[in-house]
Amino acid sequence: MDLSIIGSGYVGLVSGACFADVGHHVVCVDNNPQKIEALQAGHIPIYEPGLEEVIQRNVAAGRLRFTNSTEDGVDHSEVVFIAVPTPPQADGSVDLSYIERVARDIAAVLKPGQYRVVVDKSTVPVKTGDKVAETIKRYGQKGAEFDVVSNPEFLREGCAVSDLMKPDRIVVGSKSDRALALMQKLYQPFMAPILVTDINSAELIKHAANSFLALKISYINAVSAICEASGADVEKVADGIGMDKRIGRNFLNAGLGYGGSCFPKDIAAFIAISEQLGVPFTLLKEVQRINQSQRERFLKAMRDTLWILRDKKIAVWGLTFKGDTDDIRSSVSIDLIAELIKEGAHVTAYDPKGMDNVRNFKLIPEAKLVDSALEAAQGAEALVIATEWHEFAQVDLSHLKEAMASPMVFDGRNLLNPETMNHLGFHYRSIGRPGAGKG
Ligand code: UDX
Ligand code: UDX
């Protein structure tokens, strides 16, 4: 099938590449000329494991190309995806101006008699599909034929390619049989269950799913605080409850809390949507509060041990919002570093993939960024592990101890083994595990 994706970011680019990989012909559209030039020249603007090979393979096969022109994309596709950002506003509600702009751009180039399915893949508040349809109708030419469909994306950064190629389910919200038939044909090669719903339910599924996952993380984080107070081990507790199939072990990893471009904004959006609808979802406010308190408890533990942070040399491993990505949006690590710097600490940090973005966006300019985990730890009085990069678990711990001025490790992602760390003579503190209080 021929399809186009408007917005070639983390979601749009990976989706486009994977659709091409199963044999469709895909045009990726973006309004950022530098991004399109880079993609046309074979440079991939984001780090996502496996993505580069998929893009190269499909560009070479003539199934994937890149353009700045919405008209080019819409002309050459039966199905047009929208994957532009839906950022939060100050009150937590969603800024839908990019979606509206794209709907108008599509309307401007839709030709009469040229049926198109317009699919919203961006995360949007319930009822946005109706607005998109109204907008295309209002600004489009007479006789333009289209249907609007909601098809939320559930990919996780860091494993987006495999999430897309092997989805648990595909959700399609549509009120048109014609559009639905095309969507089923499009997704047929993925051999995944397709859940067909109305548009409102599909839109709601995305917010409800992300909020539930965030709730699961806050739940185990609240349990981790109780473990610290009682001497229990949160990992064992997570294993014990996670072995119950009704609960499941995934997303029960205690740590510094969730960050990223989705959970913080989607939970805030779902709260705002529920309030607008007159049915406030107060449980989610508690999810947010627990998420925030997790990093505050961690900082307090650092202060309890190091006392005054001013002029202390602190190493931080990890800048991205999770491992295996270069994405630093709403990264807990960056917030934590900003707080350490505010209190006068000297921070040296390392991240395998996130440092270019930190430099480009001029975040935490006071922090010194270095080229390896051990270099960051050199002469440090304390080390903070802020992101769950696999690389950090591989560092030679005796070299780490030699490098540090005092061997004190605050592990915000429970990446290292407490027994090993204590045995090697580190002062080791992690989240919700025995020994956490020793500092
Ligand atoms: C996506 C979704 O679309 C968002 O709703 C979801 O909640 C998170 O994931 P993401 O792919 O992460 O967003 O955003 P980003 O990586 O910023 O990519 C968006 C792309 O759209 C950028 O390349 C930007 O240049 C492009 N864009 C933006 C357009 O092409 N047109 C616009 O009008 C605005
Ligand atoms: C999330 C959803 O998982 C995905 O379905 C949706 O499409 C977009 O939002 P993403 O934000 O890319 O994906 O990453 P995810 O793996 O969900 O992690 C989000 C945050 O939660 C990270 O900061 C991660 O460190 C944290 N996390 C995750 C935990 O603290 N504990 C866990 O057990 C899992």
Side-chain angles (χ1 to χ4, degrees):
M1 287 175 73
D2 294 313
L3 55 113
S4 56
I5 310 217
I6 303 180
S8 304
Y10 283 90
V11 170
L13 188 59
V14 186
S15 305
C18 291
F19 279 131
D21 214 36
V22 297
H24 298 307
H25 286 92
V26 182
V27 186
C28 282
V29 183
D30 203 283
N31 70 353
N32 178 338
Q34 285 95 30
K35 189 172 260 190
I36 291 300
E37 266 169 42
L39 283 164
Q40 285 170 340
H43 304 300
I44 314 303
I46 54 170
Y47 172 74
E48 184 60 48
L51 179 63
E52 192 163 356
E53 296 91 286
V54 182
I55 291 183
Q56 279 167 357
R57 183 163 64 233
N58 287 284
V59 168
R63 287 192 298 263
L64 180 63
R65 65 184 178 88
F66 308 98
T67 176
N68 275 135
S69 160
T70 303
E71 182 163 19
D72 179 8
V74 173
D75 267 353
H76 291 98
S77 45
E78 302 164 86
V79 182
V80 180
F81 283 90
I82 303 178
V84 292
T86 47
Q89 308 191 94
D91 64 354
S93 65
V94 181
D95 175 359
L96 289 168
S97 58
Y98 297 114
I99 299 277
E100 196 255 5
R101 181 73 253 164
V102 169
R104 287 169 61 171
D105 290 348
I106 293 172
V109 298
L110 257 189
K111 307 202 169 55
Q114 195 188 53
Y115 176 74
R116 296 289 180 258
V117 183
V118 177
V119 186
D120 179 34
K121 217 173 220 326
S122 298
T123 305
V124 293
V126 57
K127 293 181 176 177
T128 301
D130 292 345
K131 297 272 179 220
V132 169
E134 278 165 30
T135 304
I136 299 178
K137 208 163 170 199
R138 188 175 318 137
Y139 292 96
Q141 294 185 43
K142 256 205 159 76
E145 273 186 89
F146 68 95
D147 279 306
V148 170
V149 162
S150 166
N151 172 221
E153 185 47 65
F154 301 101
L155 63 80
R156 289 162 299 171
E157 289 177 27
C159 44
V161 173
S162 61
D163 278 356
L164 255 158
M165 297 306 282
K166 295 187 211 85
D168 289 343
R169 80 313 202 179
I170 289 152
V171 174
V172 179
S174 169
K175 54 184 168 199
S176 146
D177 289 342
R178 187 178 182 185
L180 191 57
L182 284 171
M183 293 301 287
Q184 278 164 333
K185 190 173 155 203
L186 183 78
Y187 276 112
Q188 197 264 331
F190 292 89
M191 293 189 294
I194 298 180
L195 178 73
V196 177
T197 69
D198 57 285
I199 296 176
N200 287 346
S201 302
E203 290 168 338
L204 210 75
I205 284 169
K206 177 64 191 260
H207 275 125
N210 271 1
S211 298
F212 189 81
L213 291 168
L215 179 142
K216 226 178 153 185
I217 297 169
S218 277
Y219 184 88
I220 200 67
N221 281 337
V223 171
S224 79
I226 299 171
C227 287
E228 282 170 27
S230 63
D233 183 337
V234 73
E235 307 259 301
K236 296 276 183 294
V237 175
D239 289 346
I241 58 177
M243 283 166 83
D244 184 329
K245 287 197 189 68
R246 293 170 300 175
I247 299 173
R249 179 63 175 83
N250 290 333
F251 279 71
L252 283 180
N253 292 324
L256 281 168
Y258 60 79
S261 67
C262 291
F263 285 172
K265 93 169 161 59
D266 290 350
I267 280 79
F270 208 23
I271 291 172
I273 292 162
S274 69
E275 284 169 356
Q276 278 159 18
L277 292 169
V279 280
F281 201 160
T282 48
L283 176 63
L284 295 183
K285 292 208 165 172
E286 191 56 16
V287 169
Q288 288 179 318
R289 193 199 60 75
I290 294 168
N291 199 50
Q292 188 62 29
S293 71
Q294 203 66 2
R295 69 191 75 168
E296 283 159 13
R297 211 155 41 82
F298 189 78
L299 271 167
K300 181 177 175 305
M302 288 187 71
R303 287 188 208 102
D304 285 349
T305 312
L306 294 166
W307 193 21
I308 307 294
L309 297 184
R310 176 160 301 282
D311 291 332
K312 299 261 157 75
K313 189 163 185 271
I314 297 177
V316 178
W317 286 356
L319 296 164
T320 52
F321 82 93
K322 61 182 272 191
D324 277 336
T325 180
D326 63 348
D327 197 344
I328 51 162
R329 290 179 286 180
S330 295
S331 159
V332 179
S333 170
I334 306 269
D335 289 355
L336 204 68
I337 293 174
E339 189 56 39
L340 294 173
I341 288 169
K342 205 168 99 194
E343 295 188 31
H346 302 296
V347 175
T348 305
Y350 165 72
D351 188 281
K353 294 286 173 195
M355 297 201 292
D356 284 347
N357 275 337
V358 170
R359 288 190 195 101
N360 294 344
F361 289 101
K362 299 189 171 47
L363 297 171
I364 47 165
E366 301 89 344
K368 187 175 164 202
L369 305 184
V370 295
D371 291 330
S372 79
L374 275 182
E375 194 182 340
Q378 198 63 45
E381 286 162 81
L383 164 68
V384 172
I385 303 177
T387 309
E388 60 275 54
W389 277 99
H390 184 62
E391 179 182 323
F392 301 153
Q394 306 301 312
V395 170
D396 184 314
L397 295 171
S398 46
H399 289 169
L400 174 66
K401 197 172 170 213
E402 276 163 31
M404 295 182 73
S406 77
M408 198 173 285
V409 175
F410 295 87
D411 183 351
R413 297 290 172 188
N414 288 356
L415 211 63
L416 304 179
N417 182 302
E419 277 165 25
T420 312
M421 293 303 279
N422 290 335
H423 180 71
L424 289 172
F426 280 92
H427 293 273
Y428 178 71
R429 189 190 160 105
S430 56
I431 307 277
R433 300 193 292 183
K438 286 185 189 146

